[in-house]
Amino acid sequence: MPRSGFQVSAGELAERFGLALRGDATRLIDGVGTLAGAGPTQLSFLANPKYRGQLAASRAGLVVMRAADADGHDGDALVASDPYVAYARIAALFEPVEAPEAGIHPTAVVHPDARVEQGAAIGPHASIGARSRIAAGASIGPGCAIGEDCEIGAGSTLVARVTLVRRVTLGQRVLVHPGAVLGADGFGIALDRSGGGEPHWIKVPQLGGVRVGDDCEIGANTTIDRGALEDTVLEHDVRLDNQIQVAHNVRIGAHTAMAGCVAVAGSTTIGRYCMIGGAAGIAGHLEICDRVVVTAMTLVTHSIREPGEYSSGTPLMDSRSWRRNAVRFKQLDALARRVGTPSKGEE
Amino acid sequence: MPRSGFQVSAGELAERFGLALRGDATRLIDGVGTLAGAGPTQLSFLANPKYRGQLAASRAGLVVMRAADADGHDGDALVASDPYVAYARIAALFEPVEAPEAGIHPTAVVHPDARVEQGAAIGPHASIGARSRIAAGASIGPGCAIGEDCEIGAGSTLVARVTLVRRVTLGQRVLVHPGAVLGADGFGIALDRSGGGEPHWIKVPQLGGVRVGDDCEIGANTTIDRGALEDTVLEHDVRLDNQIQVAHNVRIGAHTAMAGCVAVAGSTTIGRYCMIGGAAGIAGHLEICDRVVVTAMTLVTHSIREPGEYSSGTPLMDSRSWRRNAVRFKQLDALARRVGTPSKGEE
Amino acid sequence: MPRSGFQVSAGELAERFGLALRGDATRLIDGVGTLAGAGPTQLSFLANPKYRGQLAASRAGLVVMRAADADGHDGDALVASDPYVAYARIAALFEPVEAPEAGIHPTAVVHPDARVEQGAAIGPHASIGARSRIAAGASIGPGCAIGEDCEIGAGSTLVARVTLVRRVTLGQRVLVHPGAVLGADGFGIALDRSGGGEPHWIKVPQLGGVRVGDDCEIGANTTIDRGALEDTVLEHDVRLDNQIQVAHNVRIGAHTAMAGCVAVAGSTTIGRYCMIGGAAGIAGHLEICDRVVVTAMTLVTHSIREPGEYSSGTPLMDSRSWRRNAVRFKQLDALARRVGTPSKGEE
């Protein structure tokens, strides 16, 4: 980890974050690290029990952990009910942040009808389209292309090479990573069988926008299409990892998080506090209620009305065993008929 | 939906699009909306029977629908055999289109050996490589990078931040969304076991190009690699959604449509009028005939010679039930042997 | 294939690449092609036995093949124990390469604290951040955005529109295709349940970097996140196709290759000489040993300690048969109980 040059005592950390300190209050901390990698001036954390075995050998000067773990620990500890959250807050102190310079870079191109507020930063080779508004404290990184009729709220950051195509509204403190594309046309096509020629696709105009709430994070190369008529919506505090595809007119509830490579088809509504595993797929026109967990690479093909965890797929096997079993999947119905369909009670 | 400022009477719409009007021919329409959202000066449509229940309560001034639906409907209607197609055509009237200004933006960089025809528009921070040609009426949006030996046909649009690496030919009226990359090297590597050192990969030169036919649409962050020796080909009217991967030497037949996140491996040929569901995978060196439908997240591992619909995967379950059943998948062959292999007739 | 204008005799090829020639040593070769497409002045190759049937009818002037194939062949042949590797090497001779001009394009923006060595090429609309270093012979294509504290080794190429966000180190001869994003924040969030309001996500600072070894290739629109505390690492000669997602703190061993659309979750370690099929998923915090092959669209959910090939999923079926069988998957446990669980010996 890079050095930030910043130092703080264990006692100050305890006070500032409301944690109990066990150990030397005057110990100076100047950075963070893993249990295995941190040195005597660094803070580490123990949250996942899987890493408990690394605690004894750790050279970390100070470790955030639960009370139960601290009881048997010789070194200095900060006691937290949720050590990962406490660590995340403390670590932010040591993050070397270079705020981009406010102002419009001379290579940026800003449409005369766009409005860039005082204190916003527009980086090299960025372009801002007509009637778009960039709030104070927002940062538009190098190579971003903002089209027409977009709004970017205060404190929001487009890291680099982000595209907002048209009619995209971001709330405050939204963070968008490079390569993300918001507001491209939804995939609306209709097969025209009229006329004498061969049937061909015609494009259904995509006229809606994208609205992203406060405190959302959108990963690298993620795509969120504009709605066909109404908007595609992310409520506040939605967290999307990289390479996620959100189709037109999807609505994602507040505090929902999705791991990388998830695909959500059009017009589906997802509730609040859902957690969608990596590379899962969610079909179109569904309703997923609050607090649904979907495991990795699961395909959701129907609406979900009960909170809980959902899965599909088959277990990992060596390919030879897999082939022997997989071919039997084709005979499953015949097999079940031969055995006699299990009664509902047995399912 | 944004207002376009454009108004048209119901009677004019009926005449212009060859539809029967039931109701007031003088009613003025100035936009489009959903059944639930449209107001008295807006046009809506009823195509999916699922939304029939919303018709009675709709405040839409005019609704495109089938004759059977119009028969029981009190409000004004335009009758169409395919209401979605009719709606798509009408809606295009209300799409606010700002044609990009023809000419080369002062921040764009055009190679002296490139040819930009009169009436083409080259946006801010775009670059055009040697021997590439941009036809009249084509539009290259902000931040696009066009390499060497590319051709972009009349009326084609690269929305923003599109990359055509090398030897990419687009037909007429092709629409490419932001972040798409066409003509990057195909993934050709060979493991070199010669010599004294450890085996290592060597790159197989990728010398072909990409050819995209007229009226194709290519989604945001979709990638289409150049061929190894011959070209990778999309015939005309192919419609690709976002984040699709098309490997080298794939050929996709006319009028085929793919939903988001599909992956097609190298040298596979796909027929005409196919519809590939979201996040489906298609292995390499296969042949898929015309009019094949593949459902979402299916893996196609062998050639398909009969039109029809194809699937793989397992149904969605709550994870507890899923685990109980999934573990049995490992025993499927043993189970089948115990029961006695079903005869072919039973499959 | 484009003409390079370069000609070489069959005899010279044999000598230069250490291959046995059967046929006319004076025959001039000026390009390469497929067996089906090559003409009398072009070289082709026969590696995959599947294409053996095309050999007799091929018009290729010279064909690289194994001795066993050459024995029954009338035309001119170069004999190689690994014809694909031999072909790859020869084909590189005919690749028309236009080395980008060394120097910094006038539209590029280089931070005063960045260091661009003599002989490096910085293309149009590229930006280079503070404290980054571009070695001699490296090429940064149009529209690339390089952030702070990055290093790009000699002979490495960023084709176009690549983003290195921060603290990304590339070795020598690394090739990165357009749209790739290296060094974006890993997806680290913690649910904060403290305080009076509703639980919300807080960001876990991502402080590590990305280190990429010599001779790696990274495909278009692939994303590799920076580590949370330690670095995300690709050892040398790792080959990644397009649209791959590599999460924070993953480590990929030397000579491992991944096909398009693979997703690797955080903190997983993958060995050397692994081959990961297209659209496969690998869960987080796993260890995969050397020489593991994973078939396409497989989900790896546990660590793998034995070399070999691994799979999951179900076979492709017509959808009607698939539905009939898939519904039975929900009854699999009940079915197995009815039949009697197979003993371990039967599995």
Side-chain angles (χ1 to χ4, degrees):
Chain A
M1 211 207 67
R3 301 275 156 167
S4 61
F6 172 75
Q7 273 194 333
V8 61
S9 74
E12 285 171 81
L13 285 177
E15 194 182 331
R16 184 158 177 176
F17 294 96
L19 305 172
L21 172 68
R22 303 196 185 171
D24 176 6
T26 65
R27 177 189 289 275
L28 290 178
I29 298 297
D30 62 8
V32 292
T34 59
L35 281 176
T41 64
Q42 290 181 307
L43 171 127
S44 189
F45 68 103
L46 172 60
N48 186 339
K50 191 172 160 179
Y51 295 103
R52 196 173 283 148
Q54 296 185 2
L55 183 58
S58 177
R59 293 172 53 249
L62 186 62
V63 180
V64 190
M65 63 185 82
R66 290 185 193 81
D69 289 313
D71 288 344
H73 179 60
D74 285 338
D76 293 3
L78 282 172
V79 178
S81 57
D82 188 334
Y84 194 45
V85 166
Y87 160 76
R89 285 193 182 138
I90 298 171
L93 294 182
F94 298 100
E95 197 172 9
V97 174
E98 297 173 67
E101 267 179 73
I104 300 174
H105 193 278
T107 60
V109 174
V110 179
H111 192 281
D113 294 344
R115 184 168 141 218
V116 177
E117 294 186 358
Q118 284 281 347
I122 313 293
H125 314 116
S127 57
I128 317 283
R131 299 173 304 280
S132 285
R133 191 176 70 83
I134 316 297
S139 168
I140 310 299
C144 289
I146 315 288
E148 294 81 23
D149 302 294
C150 294
E151 293 209 22
I152 298 177
S156 286
T157 298
L158 278 54
V159 174
R161 276 186 50 240
V162 169
T163 308
L164 308 188
V165 180
R166 186 172 292 179
R167 287 171 59 70
V168 178
T169 301
L170 306 185
Q172 298 189 15
R173 298 170 305 278
V174 173
L175 175 56
V176 188
H177 293 287
V181 178
L182 280 68
D185 284 350
F187 192 57
I189 54 176
L191 192 64
D192 188 351
R193 301 169 190 275
S194 68
E198 55 184 20
H200 61 278
W201 296 106
I202 61 173
K203 188 172 169 68
V204 180
Q206 302 292 302
L207 305 166
V210 175
R211 275 184 294 133
V212 175
D214 294 341
D215 299 300
C216 288
E217 182 166 356
I218 294 167
N221 285 354
T222 280
T223 49
I224 306 178
D225 281 350
R226 66 191 296 209
L229 287 165
E230 315 281 337
D231 292 341
T232 303
V233 176
L234 272 63
E235 298 179 0
H236 64 276
D237 196 31
V238 170
R239 306 287 175 146
L240 303 186
D241 195 358
N242 297 347
Q243 298 201 35
I244 288 172
Q245 151 72 355
V246 178
H248 51 182
N249 299 105
V250 165
R251 182 179 192 101
I252 303 179
H255 312 296
T256 282
M258 297 190 184
C261 305
V262 168
V264 186
S267 299
T268 279
T269 296
I270 298 174
R272 291 157 55 94
Y273 291 108
C274 292
M275 299 186 62
I276 314 297
I282 304 184
H285 298 271
L286 304 185
E287 286 179 32
I288 313 293
C289 68
D290 293 352
R291 297 180 192 279
V292 165
V293 174
V294 174
T295 59
M297 265 175 96
T298 289
L299 176 62
V300 179
T301 48
H302 58 74
S303 292
I304 297 179
R305 316 224 177 263
E306 293 291 323
E309 187 181 294
Y310 295 82
S311 301
S312 69
T314 76
L316 183 70
M317 278 174 270
D318 71 272
S319 295
R320 208 179 135 190
S321 303
W322 175 80
R323 269 182 221 108
R324 211 172 55 218
N325 287 295
V327 70
R328 298 295 192 175
F329 186 84
K330 295 187 177 188
Q331 304 169 334
L332 204 48
D333 182 50
L335 191 63
R337 285 174 191 277
R338 177 166 295 208
V339 174
T341 313
S343 71
K344 278 290 170 193
E346 287 178 298
E347 280 185 44
Chain B
M1 211 207 66
R3 301 274 155 169
S4 61
F6 173 76
Q7 275 195 331
V8 60
S9 73
E12 282 172 85
L13 286 176
E15 194 181 331
R16 187 160 175 173
F17 293 96
L19 304 171
L21 172 68
R22 302 196 187 172
D24 176 7
T26 65
R27 178 188 289 276
L28 289 179
I29 298 297
D30 64 8
V32 292
T34 60
L35 280 176
T41 63
Q42 289 182 308
L43 170 128
S44 189
F45 68 102
L46 172 61
N48 187 338
K50 193 172 158 179
Y51 294 103
R52 197 171 282 148
Q54 295 185 2
L55 182 58
S58 176
R59 292 172 52 249
L62 186 60
V63 180
V64 190
M65 63 185 82
R66 290 186 193 81
D69 289 314
D71 289 343
H73 179 59
D74 284 338
D76 293 4
L78 282 172
V79 177
S81 56
D82 188 333
Y84 194 46
V85 166
Y87 160 77
R89 285 192 180 140
I90 297 171
L93 295 182
F94 299 100
E95 199 173 7
V97 175
E98 297 173 67
E101 267 180 71
I104 300 174
H105 193 277
T107 60
V109 174
V110 178
H111 192 282
D113 295 344
R115 185 169 140 216
V116 177
E117 295 187 357
Q118 283 283 346
I122 313 292
H125 314 116
S127 57
I128 317 282
R131 299 174 305 280
S132 286
R133 191 176 72 83
I134 317 297
S139 167
I140 310 300
C144 289
I146 315 289
E148 294 81 24
D149 301 297
C150 295
E151 292 209 25
I152 298 178
S156 287
T157 298
L158 278 54
V159 173
R161 276 187 50 240
V162 169
T163 308
L164 309 188
V165 181
R166 188 172 290 179
R167 287 173 59 70
V168 178
T169 301
L170 306 185
Q172 298 189 15
R173 299 169 305 276
V174 172
L175 175 56
V176 188
H177 293 287
V181 178
L182 280 69
D185 284 351
F187 192 59
I189 53 176
L191 192 65
D192 188 351
R193 301 168 189 275
S194 68
E198 57 184 20
H200 61 276
W201 296 106
I202 60 172
K203 189 172 167 70
V204 180
Q206 303 292 305
L207 305 166
V210 174
R211 276 185 292 132
V212 176
D214 295 341
D215 300 300
C216 287
E217 182 166 356
I218 294 167
N221 285 354
T222 281
T223 49
I224 305 178
D225 281 351
R226 66 192 296 211
L229 287 164
E230 315 281 339
D231 293 339
T232 303
V233 176
L234 272 63
E235 298 180 358
H236 64 276
D237 196 29
V238 169
R239 307 287 175 146
L240 302 187
D241 195 357
N242 297 348
Q243 297 202 36
I244 288 172
Q245 151 71 356
V246 178
H248 52 181
N249 299 107
V250 166
R251 182 178 193 103
I252 304 180
H255 313 296
T256 281
M258 297 190 183
C261 305
V262 167
V264 186
S267 300
T268 279
T269 296
I270 298 174
R272 292 157 54 96
Y273 291 109
C274 291
M275 299 185 62
I276 313 297
I282 304 184
H285 297 274
L286 304 184
E287 287 180 32
I288 314 293
C289 68
D290 294 352
R291 296 180 192 278
V292 165
V293 175
V294 174
T295 59
M297 264 176 97
T298 289
L299 177 62
V300 178
T301 48
H302 57 74
S303 292
I304 297 180
R305 314 222 180 267
E306 294 291 325
E309 187 180 294
Y310 294 83
S311 300
S312 70
T314 77
L316 182 70
M317 278 174 271
D318 70 274
S319 295
R320 209 179 134 191
S321 303
W322 175 79
R323 270 182 220 106
R324 211 172 54 219
N325 287 294
V327 70
R328 298 296 191 174
F329 186 84
K330 294 187 177 188
Q331 303 168 335
L332 205 47
D333 183 48
L335 190 63
R337 284 174 193 277
R338 178 166 292 208
V339 174
T341 314
S343 71
K344 278 288 171 195
E346 288 178 297
E347 280 184 42
Chain C
M1 212 207 62
R3 302 274 156 169
S4 61
F6 172 76
Q7 274 194 331
V8 59
S9 74
E12 283 172 82
L13 287 176
E15 194 181 332
R16 185 158 176 176
F17 293 97
L19 304 172
L21 171 68
R22 302 195 186 174
D24 175 8
T26 66
R27 177 188 291 275
L28 290 179
I29 298 298
D30 63 7
V32 292
T34 59
L35 280 177
T41 63
Q42 289 182 308
L43 171 128
S44 189
F45 68 103
L46 172 60
N48 186 338
K50 193 172 158 179
Y51 294 103
R52 197 172 282 147
Q54 296 184 3
L55 182 58
S58 176
R59 292 171 53 250
L62 185 62
V63 180
V64 189
M65 63 184 83
R66 289 185 194 84
D69 289 314
D71 287 345
H73 179 60
D74 285 339
D76 292 4
L78 283 171
V79 178
S81 57
D82 188 334
Y84 194 46
V85 166
Y87 160 77
R89 285 191 181 141
I90 297 172
L93 294 183
F94 298 100
E95 199 172 8
V97 175
E98 297 173 67
E101 267 178 73
I104 300 175
H105 193 276
T107 60
V109 174
V110 178
H111 192 282
D113 295 344
R115 184 168 142 219
V116 177
E117 295 186 357
Q118 284 283 346
I122 312 293
H125 315 116
S127 57
I128 317 282
R131 298 173 305 279
S132 286
R133 192 175 71 82
I134 317 296
S139 167
I140 309 300
C144 289
I146 315 289
E148 294 81 24
D149 301 295
C150 295
E151 293 209 23
I152 298 177
S156 287
T157 298
L158 278 53
V159 173
R161 278 187 47 242
V162 168
T163 308
L164 309 188
V165 180
R166 188 172 291 179
R167 286 171 62 69
V168 178
T169 301
L170 306 184
Q172 298 190 14
R173 299 170 305 277
V174 173
L175 175 57
V176 189
H177 293 288
V181 178
L182 280 68
D185 283 351
F187 192 58
I189 54 177
L191 192 65
D192 188 350
R193 301 168 189 276
S194 69
E198 56 184 19
H200 60 277
W201 296 106
I202 60 172
K203 187 170 169 72
V204 180
Q206 302 293 304
L207 305 165
V210 175
R211 276 185 293 133
V212 176
D214 295 341
D215 299 302
C216 288
E217 183 167 356
I218 294 168
N221 285 353
T222 280
T223 49
I224 305 177
D225 280 351
R226 65 191 297 209
L229 287 164
E230 315 281 337
D231 293 338
T232 304
V233 177
L234 271 63
E235 298 180 359
H236 65 276
D237 196 29
V238 170
R239 306 287 174 146
L240 303 186
D241 196 357
N242 297 348
Q243 298 201 35
I244 288 172
Q245 150 70 357
V246 178
H248 51 180
N249 299 106
V250 166
R251 183 179 191 101
I252 303 179
H255 313 297
T256 281
M258 297 191 182
C261 305
V262 167
V264 186
S267 299
T268 280
T269 296
I270 298 173
R272 292 157 54 94
Y273 291 109
C274 293
M275 298 186 63
I276 313 297
I282 304 184
H285 297 272
L286 304 185
E287 287 179 32
I288 313 294
C289 68
D290 293 352
R291 297 180 192 279
V292 166
V293 175
V294 174
T295 59
M297 263 173 98
T298 288
L299 177 62
V300 178
T301 48
H302 59 74
S303 291
I304 298 179
R305 316 223 179 266
E306 293 292 324
E309 187 181 294
Y310 295 81
S311 301
S312 71
T314 76
L316 183 70
M317 279 175 269
D318 69 273
S319 295
R320 208 179 136 191
S321 304
W322 175 80
R323 269 182 223 108
R324 212 172 54 217
N325 287 295
V327 71
R328 297 295 191 175
F329 186 84
K330 295 187 177 188
Q331 303 169 334
L332 204 48
D333 183 49
L335 190 62
R337 284 174 193 277
R338 177 165 293 208
V339 174
T341 313
S343 72
K344 278 289 170 191
E346 288 179 297
E347 281 184 41

